[in-house]
């Protein structure tokens, strides 16, 4: 790799742990501002779960209000995903146990979230 190629790869690198664009779909509008809700576009089954206890937020940012917490035993209904300002993909979902809908960063979800862009 040339010095220029290495420099460009460094400049365009994703944050550590950030997911690249999901296969099979282009990324929807970047970042969901706090208070953003989305319709259910993802018709996948409700077998999705959190990999670890994960806060459900009002937007695709850790600075948005936490609305609830998805536990590892909760069934989650994915609606769609987008990319936050932090470079991570985030899924808008509804927790079947609590009824709370909100945004969860995909690296906190067992199967890395929805595959359907918002």
């Amino acid at each position: 790799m040339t010095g220029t190629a290495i420099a460009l790869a460094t400049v365009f690198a994703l944050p550590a742990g950030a997911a690249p664009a999901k296969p099979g779909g282009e990324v929807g509008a970047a970042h969901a501002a706090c208070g953003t809700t989305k319709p259910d576009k993802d018709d996948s089954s409700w077998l999705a779960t959190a990999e670890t206890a994960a806060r459900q937020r009002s937007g695709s940012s850790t600075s948005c209000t936490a609305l609830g917490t998805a536990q590892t035993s909760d069934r989650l209904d994915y609606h769609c995903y987008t990319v936050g300002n932090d470079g991570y993909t985030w899924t808008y979902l509804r927790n079947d146990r609590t009824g709370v809908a909100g945004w969860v960063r995909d690296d906190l979800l067992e199967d890395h979230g929805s595959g359907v862009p918002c």
Side-chain angles (χ1 to χ4, degrees):
M1 209 181 254
T2 68
T4 302
I6 292 170
L8 286 173
T10 302
V11 170
F12 293 107
L14 294 170
K22 298 196 177 197
E26 67 288 345
V27 174
H31 182 64
C34 300
T36 301
T37 61
K38 293 291 182 179
D40 192 353
K41 295 176 154 186
D42 189 332
D43 63 357
S44 62
S45 67
W46 283 37
L47 300 178
T49 60
E51 188 169 75
T52 183
R55 299 231 188 259
Q56 291 176 254
R57 298 191 176 273
S58 66
S60 60
S61 170
T62 57
S63 65
C64 292
T65 303
L67 305 172
T69 302
Q71 302 295 332
T72 57
S73 59
D74 292 343
R75 292 182 336 155
L76 308 173
D77 178 21
Y78 295 165
H79 289 205
C80 61
Y81 78 92
T82 192
V83 177
N85 287 342
D86 57 4
Y88 289 88
T89 55
W90 292 71
T91 292
Y92 187 72
L93 56 84
R94 188 174 81 75
N95 185 321
D96 187 40
R97 177 181 59 87
T98 65
V100 172
W103 295 90
V104 174
R105 212 169 75 184
D106 287 349
D107 62 327
L108 301 176
L109 298 171
E110 186 175 36
D111 60 0
H112 306 292
S114 176
V116 178
C118 289

